[in-house]
Amino acid sequence: MEIILLERIEKLGTIGDVVTVKDGYARNYLLPNKKALRANEANRKVFEANRSKIEADNAARRTDAEGHAKNVDGKSVVLIRASSNAGHLYGSVSVRDIVDALNADGADVTKAMIVLERPIKTIGVFDVKVALHPEVAVTVKVNVARSPDEADQQAQGVDVIAAMFEDEAAAAAATDFEAGNGEAEEAAPAAEAAPDEAEA
């Protein structure tokens, strides 16, 4: 379906561009959300007649979004979640979780603004894009951890899961080393006793 864009849409075009998209995308998303018009003669005339107003409204919304961006850009939120020893979450972090955490921190964002490529299913620190306007996007950090202490460590750049495995490996190596020394000490007296038996 050919449509006329009423705002900039990533990977499609800017205001006034006539582009071809899949019918379902146009009918289910672009047209109902007033992001585009069907590209027919009547709509072209309506668009051209209202172009300056549409562009002025867009510029006003972009200015508001740029002001809002200062309040959101670079924010960091902590989400405490249960996970396996390997760091895999029981469940996942959803867009709603991120919105609730950001809004609790005074960000004032909606679910539609969060751009999450895939659900977050492990602990760690993730950069998440927030599109405040089609032409204004900022990045926030989402710190997913099992406890506030781990969240603090991750915020300082520590890979908590790798560190935990290193600690476990070190503890196992120490145990093996202690066990090895004990066996060596037991073997030594037996070796000393052996020559006497040979003389007898």
Side-chain angles (χ1 to χ4, degrees):
M1 180 188 296
E2 274 204 343
I3 54 163
I4 305 166
L5 296 179
L6 297 179
E7 64 178 51
R8 179 181 175 274
I9 294 177
E10 206 169 333
K11 297 178 185 159
L12 272 187
T14 57
I15 294 175
D17 288 357
V18 177
V19 295
T20 303
V21 296
K22 290 185 176 167
D23 289 1
Y25 181 46
R27 276 199 298 266
N28 299 329
Y29 178 69
L30 296 173
L31 299 174
N33 290 312
K34 299 190 172 26
K35 294 179 182 290
L37 294 170
R38 288 176 189 269
N40 56 34
E41 273 312 306
N43 282 343
R44 284 177 211 263
K45 286 176 184 164
V46 167
F47 175 78
E48 287 307 327
N50 294 313
R51 185 177 195 127
S52 58
K53 181 180 183 304
I54 291 167
E55 288 178 347
D57 288 349
N58 181 63
R61 286 199 313 273
R62 185 176 61 231
T63 304
D64 289 347
E66 284 165 353
H68 188 186
K70 294 183 181 76
N71 188 32
V72 181
D73 193 20
K75 270 194 185 294
S76 179
V77 293
V78 174
L79 298 173
I80 304 300
R81 292 289 183 272
S83 82
S84 69
N85 286 343
H88 296 289
L89 300 182
Y90 300 126
S92 64
V93 171
S94 69
V95 167
R96 179 174 289 286
D97 297 328
I98 296 168
V99 168
D100 291 347
L102 284 169
N103 287 343
D105 197 17
D108 188 25
V109 296
T110 63
K111 281 172 67 175
M113 293 176 180
I114 305 297
V115 182
L116 199 59
E117 302 293 329
R118 63 187 70 80
I120 296 172
K121 296 190 173 187
T122 59
I123 68 171
V125 179
F126 304 89
D127 287 335
V128 175
K129 184 174 158 189
V130 182
L132 301 170
H133 177 273
E135 298 165 46
V136 181
V138 295
T139 303
V140 297
K141 287 200 179 303
V142 177
N143 187 342
V144 183
R146 292 178 294 190
S147 69
D149 288 345
E150 280 191 1
D152 290 343
Q153 289 176 2
Q154 287 183 165
Q156 292 163 11
V158 175
D159 183 340
V160 174
I161 295 297
M164 184 181 75
F165 281 125
E166 283 169 17
D167 291 347
E168 283 177 7
T175 307
D176 291 347
F177 181 72
E178 286 166 12
N181 274 358
E183 285 165 15
E185 285 162 12
E186 284 167 21
E192 286 164 15
D196 299 339
E197 287 167 16
E199 284 167 17

